[in-house]
Amino acid sequence: MRSQPGNRRFLLWLSLTTVLMAVVLAVMLAVFLRQARSVEETARLQTDSITALTFHFEREFLRFRAELGQSLQTRHEPDWEQLGLRYEILLSRIDLLRDSPSTARLRDKPEYLILLPRIEALVKQVDPLMADPPSHLPELAQVLETLYSIGPEVQALSSASNHLVSSLIEDQLDTVRGQSRLISWLVAFQVALLLLGATALMVRHRRLQRERRELEMLNDALREAKAQADSASQGKSRFLANMSHELRTPFNGLLGMLDMLEETQLTRQQRDHLLTARDSARHLLNLLNDILDMSALEAGKMSVQPEPVDMLRLISEVHAVMAPAGQRKQLTMRLHLPSDTPGPVLADPTRTRQILFNLMSNAVKFTDQGEVDVRVNWTQHAGTVRWALTVRDTGIGMNESMQAQLFQRFHQVDGSATRRFGGSGLGLEISRTLARLMGGEISVRSAIGEGSVFTLELPTPLAPSHAPAPSVPPLAAPPASAAATPVPAEPAPSPAPTRHAESIEWSVLVAEDHPVNRKFMGALLNKLGHAVTFAENGQQALDLVREHDFDIVFMDIHMPEMDGLTSTKLIRALPGEKCRIPIVALTADVMNDAEDRAAGAGVNEFLSKPVQKDQLQAALDRWAGRHHQQTA
Amino acid sequence: MILTSRRQAFIAITAGLFSWAGIQTPAQALDAPQGRVILTITGKIGETNAERQAQFDLAMLEALPQHSFVTQTPWENGSIKFTGPLLRDVLAAVKAQGTQLKATALNDYRIVIPVDDDRRFDIVLAHRMNDQLIPVRTRGPLFIIYPFDSRKELRSNTYYERSIWQLKSLDID
């Protein structure tokens, strides 16, 4: 993390600043307290100020002196009691001057030091006289003289105390001023510190904001890049899906012609070459199908269509197809089926078959000796049958990192194996995607040299009990309601079609715009012994059906001027028996909805190109024969 | 005023109870002073023993219920025990009816004391400091003293000023 040291430094600064602020505040508090004490002191000085005490002393001094003067000069009997009172009051003032805590500061002044001994000496002299004043008149006159002589010093004490208090107040003021200055500096420092802190915070905030903005921008850029990559990838998938028709059409012709060639007289070497060519073409077609499936999955154009299926029978059929390939490699091909069956379940037979083929062919492909063991188990819970199909081989096996990459796109077990085993690397990904589409999962257990165990788990709901038996052509369905007739499941490739209809010559209309395909279909049908009429588009097909009687129509979907679906719909709208003619759609589209749309338009069966000879014969047997029986 | 009257009525009753209980009190009607007059009360008073004034000698003050407390003052080092009647008992004795007291000292020092103080604090009209009679020389013979040590608010210039010594007379206004 880039910002971590910066963060730590910031926190350090923050705590340092905080501590500094706290210290400054503490100092300020101390200064404030001291100032408060100073003010308190000043107040106390004023409470009973030195000046008031000296002033009262001077006043009582003067009043006693005046009273004494009057008593000595009066012709009447003097008020000696009044004089005594004045003397007592003066004495109380002298005591206060000497003893009161307030005058402590005055006591080291020269004026005080000179005056007080003289006053005290005087008091010592006067005290006995005041006990009986009338009998001591001359002495009292002497005292009056003394009182007059020390008058200026009494006054000087007043001035001195006045001066003392003002200088004390000035001192206090100086102290307070100094403290105020200190406080001002501290406050200024505090403010500066605060500003500094605020600035630092602002700078930091700005930097964080900038970093966040940059991150957001980066995020946006990444998101945009991802969206672009996704859309580019999707575009490619869409392109490939759309290309499927274009790619399969020439293949149709190529494979058909190779099949035809095989039927002719060939030298051994030519036959060898031909077989190699056909194997290569088949291999290429497999790769192509993988790629096209992947594209369809990617483009979201593939969906699963469950129908009642006898799962055990389906598995047996796939195993029967794969067994010869294994036996050619001297492998033991075992199949363990459970003794009982849950009955028909709802599953997509085509996709299930595709997964099974993939797992079993992989097992055969990567095993050079030993066995391929297929084991099936099922459990039932609340109307759902959970299938566990295990394919165990004694092949090369995989280590953990290989297993981890196994289901990744374009993955091939290892570079060298690619050369040896071939394959698109898409098979397992397609299988797992399909399994997940159906709510299942494929898992693997393996170790180098100890073979691999692939397990397909698949939950399938039980089919309603009245559903028709699966994998059996719906013979009972009337062909007239062709639009509503379900397209039957692809028949198992192993059993050979019945040959009883081969001798019957059907009148067949083939609507096909591509000349190679027309030639291939023509050759195939001729070879089977049927009369073929061609139409190059939907309109021609419609016209021909209207004018002639055909036993069956093979209708290409993609054609110029009028496509096969429109043509089918119009044929179904013809009056009389014409509308019941069997129509078999042929297309190279792999998209699911192609089949749906064809059924919706009213075709009886849907064959995907390239068409094999067996498929063609089966369709003829199924539809033309029945049509013939009904119209006859 | 009504409140004041009530309070005074209460004080009068209290004083009456004391007298009934046999505690040493002066007669209801103010007697004439026997000794030297040390306090003269004038103004709005209900009891007199001279021409429009009430005069007190030491014995009359000592005859009222006595009160003591120890406190520090700004004028002395250390604590001092003050003894004397409560100011409010003295005022009750003369049936004072004013809101303020103008107190005057022997040296003509004058200060105004709100009667309210008398309600809030136990102010003593001290005639003894540390159990000794107070000569004029040590700020006697009478000293109005607040119980400074009992309340913090009392330790301020306001109440120090009102603590008048060498008290001579009270004028009820």
Side-chain angles (χ1 to χ4, degrees):
Chain A
M1 293 293 264
R2 184 172 59 87
S3 62
Q4 202 123 50
N7 234 348
R8 197 165 304 153
R9 212 179 50 213
F10 179 79
L11 282 178
L12 192 71
W13 273 111
L14 194 71
S15 38
L16 241 150
T17 311
T18 309
V19 167
L20 205 58
M21 294 257 286
V23 167
V24 171
L25 277 174
V27 170
M28 268 172 74
L29 189 68
V31 172
F32 269 128
L33 286 178
R34 234 174 56 202
Q35 198 166 38
R37 254 208 313 274
S38 301
V39 170
E40 199 82 0
E41 196 126 329
T42 311
R44 233 192 37 229
L45 275 176
Q46 286 168 338
T47 297
D48 201 51
S49 81
I50 300 170
T51 39
L53 285 172
T54 47
F55 164 74
H56 278 293
F57 164 69
E58 186 181 352
R59 197 168 71 129
E60 292 308 325
F61 173 83
L62 294 177
R63 285 176 85 173
F64 174 66
R65 195 171 71 179
E67 189 75 38
L68 181 60
Q70 205 177 3
S71 298
L72 290 177
Q73 280 165 16
T74 187
R75 277 181 228 141
H76 311 286
E77 179 59 17
D79 187 349
W80 295 114
E81 202 169 318
Q82 182 62 23
L83 182 67
L85 181 64
R86 290 262 74 90
Y87 182 62
E88 286 288 312
I89 293 172
L90 175 61
L91 287 178
S92 79
R93 283 295 153 187
I94 293 168
D95 286 350
L96 273 171
L97 203 60
R98 192 183 49 220
D99 301 330
S100 169
S102 307
T103 58
R105 286 171 212 266
L106 192 64
R107 281 171 219 159
D108 54 357
K109 295 289 165 205
E111 290 84 352
Y112 178 90
L113 292 174
I114 290 169
L115 179 64
L116 210 77
R118 294 192 65 179
I119 288 287
E120 280 179 333
L122 189 65
V123 166
K124 212 169 265 171
Q125 189 192 336
V126 175
D127 264 351
L129 304 181
M130 284 306 290
D132 183 18
S135 45
H136 298 96
L137 291 179
E139 289 95 329
L140 284 174
Q142 193 88 41
V143 166
L144 187 61
E145 284 296 307
T146 317
L147 287 176
Y148 273 111
S149 72
I150 62 170
E153 278 160 36
V154 170
Q155 209 281 324
L157 184 70
S158 284
S159 299
S161 77
N162 214 9
H163 186 255
L164 173 69
V165 167
S166 41
S167 73
L168 274 177
I169 287 174
E170 217 145 272
D171 282 357
Q172 286 299 333
L173 217 59
D174 270 357
T175 310
V176 170
R177 271 199 208 108
Q179 285 166 348
S180 294
R181 211 161 27 241
L182 185 59
I183 287 171
S184 304
W185 278 111
L186 288 174
V187 166
F189 181 63
Q190 198 91 323
V191 166
L193 213 59
L194 265 175
L195 285 176
L196 198 73
T199 313
L201 268 178
M202 201 173 70
V203 166
R204 186 179 151 79
H205 180 70
R206 287 243 176 94
R207 207 185 61 216
L208 284 177
Q209 257 188 339
R210 200 182 58 233
E211 281 175 5
R212 209 180 52 205
R213 235 184 352 258
E214 281 168 4
L215 269 180
E216 271 168 10
M217 269 156 62
L218 182 63
N219 209 10
D220 285 350
L222 286 176
R223 215 182 342 236
E224 189 150 328
K226 185 181 181 300
Q228 276 177 0
D230 281 353
S231 90
S233 168
Q234 271 217 332
K236 275 175 206 151
S237 296
R238 218 167 17 245
F239 170 74
L240 273 176
N242 293 338
M243 281 296 285
S244 72
H245 175 256
E246 313 302 328
L247 289 167
R248 279 173 202 246
T249 301
F251 247 96
N252 198 14
L254 179 63
L255 278 176
M257 285 304 145
L258 286 174
D259 279 349
M260 300 292 299
L261 205 56
E262 200 186 344
E263 307 275 317
T264 59
Q265 283 295 106
L266 295 170
T267 66
R268 233 185 97 123
Q269 198 179 23
Q270 280 172 329
R271 186 164 300 277
D272 192 38
H273 290 170
L274 180 66
L275 283 178
T276 309
R278 200 185 54 186
D279 282 352
S280 302
R282 286 250 163 83
H283 186 63
L284 187 54
L285 182 62
N286 283 337
L287 293 183
L288 185 62
N289 281 337
D290 274 359
I291 292 168
L292 295 177
D293 271 353
M294 200 62 238
S295 309
L297 283 170
E298 281 261 294
K301 287 185 175 178
M302 191 176 284
S303 60
V304 285
Q305 288 163 326
E307 58 184 81
V309 172
D310 180 343
M311 191 61 87
L312 294 177
R313 185 168 159 192
L314 185 145
I315 294 167
S316 305
E317 285 169 5
V318 174
H319 192 262
V321 171
M322 286 310 299
Q327 279 148 8
R328 267 202 296 280
K329 291 180 77 175
Q330 309 293 315
L331 300 175
T332 311
M333 301 291 288
R334 289 186 211 277
L335 175 63
H336 307 274
L337 290 178
S339 52
D340 52 346
T341 170
V345 294
L346 291 175
D348 184 327
T350 313
R351 299 306 172 197
T352 310
R353 214 175 268 131
Q354 191 175 351
I355 296 170
L356 297 180
F357 268 122
N358 177 254
L359 293 180
M360 290 189 210
S361 66
N362 275 347
V364 170
K365 193 192 287 182
F366 293 104
T367 308
D368 289 334
Q369 54 183 359
E371 58 174 40
V372 173
D373 182 295
V374 179
R375 193 175 290 271
V376 183
N377 282 304
W378 61 269
T379 56
Q380 188 178 334
H381 181 69
T384 300
V385 179
R386 298 197 70 89
W387 297 93
L389 181 125
T390 313
V391 180
R392 183 191 307 271
D393 64 49
T394 53
I396 55 174
M398 294 167 288
N399 62 24
E400 282 188 14
S401 71
M402 286 159 127
Q403 290 173 43
Q405 296 169 19
L406 198 56
F407 295 97
Q408 287 174 12
R409 181 160 309 177
F410 310 128
H411 174 74
Q412 289 154 325
V413 172
D414 68 76
S416 57
T418 312
R419 304 293 157 262
R420 192 170 143 216
F421 298 109
S424 64
L426 289 172
L428 267 176
E429 192 197 348
I430 292 169
S431 292
R432 178 179 264 190
T433 309
L434 286 173
R436 286 180 178 171
L437 263 176
M438 293 190 277
E441 182 59 280
I442 294 177
S443 53
V444 63
R445 220 153 23 85
S446 183
I448 286 282
E450 292 177 18
S452 309
V453 181
F454 282 86
T455 305
L456 165 69
E457 287 171 70
L458 199 63
T460 55
L462 274 173
S465 52
H466 62 272
S471 293
V472 176
L475 286 169
S481 58
T485 307
V487 179
E490 202 178 315
S494 45
T498 48
R499 291 277 159 179
H500 66 89
E502 206 170 4
S503 55
I504 305 167
E505 184 184 319
W506 304 122
S507 173
V508 181
L509 175 63
V510 174
E512 169 66 68
D513 61 323
H514 204 284
V516 175
N517 284 347
R518 274 206 302 277
K519 198 171 162 194
F520 165 64
M521 284 294 283
L524 212 55
L525 288 165
N526 280 332
K527 191 170 164 35
L528 290 169
H530 306 296
V532 184
T533 309
F534 291 108
E536 292 184 10
N537 58 50
Q539 185 61 52
Q540 278 185 20
L542 178 62
D543 293 345
L544 284 166
V545 166
R546 199 182 284 145
E547 287 158 23
H548 305 280
D549 285 330
F550 293 103
D551 295 309
I552 191 166
V553 180
F554 287 98
M555 182 78 79
D556 186 25
I557 302 290
H558 296 283
M559 285 185 294
E561 288 185 42
M562 183 188 286
D563 65 29
L565 295 181
T566 313
S567 183
T568 302
K569 277 182 201 160
L570 291 173
I571 289 169
R572 291 292 180 229
L574 288 176
E577 288 297 312
K578 296 272 190 193
C579 72
R580 300 199 176 180
I581 189 167
I583 299 175
V584 175
L586 300 174
T587 184
D589 260 346
V590 286
M591 298 303 132
N592 276 304
D593 61 342
E595 203 168 326
D596 288 347
R597 290 211 322 272
V603 305
N604 295 68
E605 187 166 344
F606 183 95
L607 291 183
S608 104
K609 293 179 184 178
V611 184
Q612 308 289 312
K613 191 171 81 182
D614 294 347
Q615 290 177 290
L616 208 57
Q617 183 61 54
L620 282 168
D621 289 348
R622 197 176 302 142
W623 301 110
R626 201 180 311 157
H627 179 62
H628 192 73
Q629 282 166 12
Q630 288 198 346
T631 51
Chain B
M1 281 311 277
I2 292 168
L3 271 178
T4 311
S5 308
R6 267 191 199 162
R7 183 178 51 76
Q8 284 173 345
F10 170 77
I11 289 165
I13 288 164
T14 312
L17 280 174
F18 273 121
S19 101
W20 184 76
I23 293 171
Q24 206 178 9
T25 55
Q28 273 311 88
L30 209 55
D31 296 331
Q34 303 299 309
R36 200 160 63 87
V37 173
I38 55 170
L39 178 65
T40 308
I41 303 180
T42 55
K44 299 176 181 171
I45 52 173
E47 292 284 348
T48 56
N49 54 9
E51 184 62 26
R52 288 163 61 195
Q53 54 178 243
Q55 296 181 335
F56 286 85
D57 60 9
L58 182 61
M60 287 165 77
L61 292 174
E62 281 179 325
L64 289 167
Q66 299 298 294
H67 206 86
S68 288
F69 57 74
V70 175
T71 187
Q72 289 188 309
T73 69
W75 316 284
E76 310 281 343
N77 292 314
S79 299
I80 291 175
K81 179 183 176 189
F82 291 91
T83 309
L86 290 176
L87 181 60
R88 71 172 76 101
D89 287 345
V90 177
L91 294 179
V94 297
K95 296 197 171 86
Q97 285 175 352
T99 55
Q100 57 181 22
L101 313 173
K102 282 183 197 158
T104 309
L106 291 172
N107 68 342
D108 298 341
Y109 177 81
R110 168 165 284 186
I111 191 77
V112 174
I113 300 171
V115 171
D116 198 39
D117 275 10
D118 181 42
R119 185 175 59 79
R120 290 164 59 208
F121 313 111
D122 287 336
I123 303 167
V124 162
L125 191 58
H127 50 72
R128 277 180 166 77
M129 278 164 72
N130 291 337
D131 295 323
Q132 299 295 313
L133 281 173
I134 320 171
V136 174
R137 180 169 181 168
T138 48
R139 283 158 283 161
L142 291 174
F143 202 140
I144 287 185
I145 190 87
Y146 285 72
F148 298 112
D149 281 3
S150 69
R151 302 268 273 275
K152 191 173 189 294
E153 61 179 297
L154 286 175
R155 292 193 285 278
S156 80
N157 209 21
T158 306
Y159 297 105
Y160 289 144
E161 272 179 6
R162 290 178 191 170
S163 289
I164 181 169
W165 65 61
Q166 292 173 344
L167 179 68
K168 180 171 72 179
S169 64
L170 290 171
D171 187 32
I172 317 292
D173 191 12

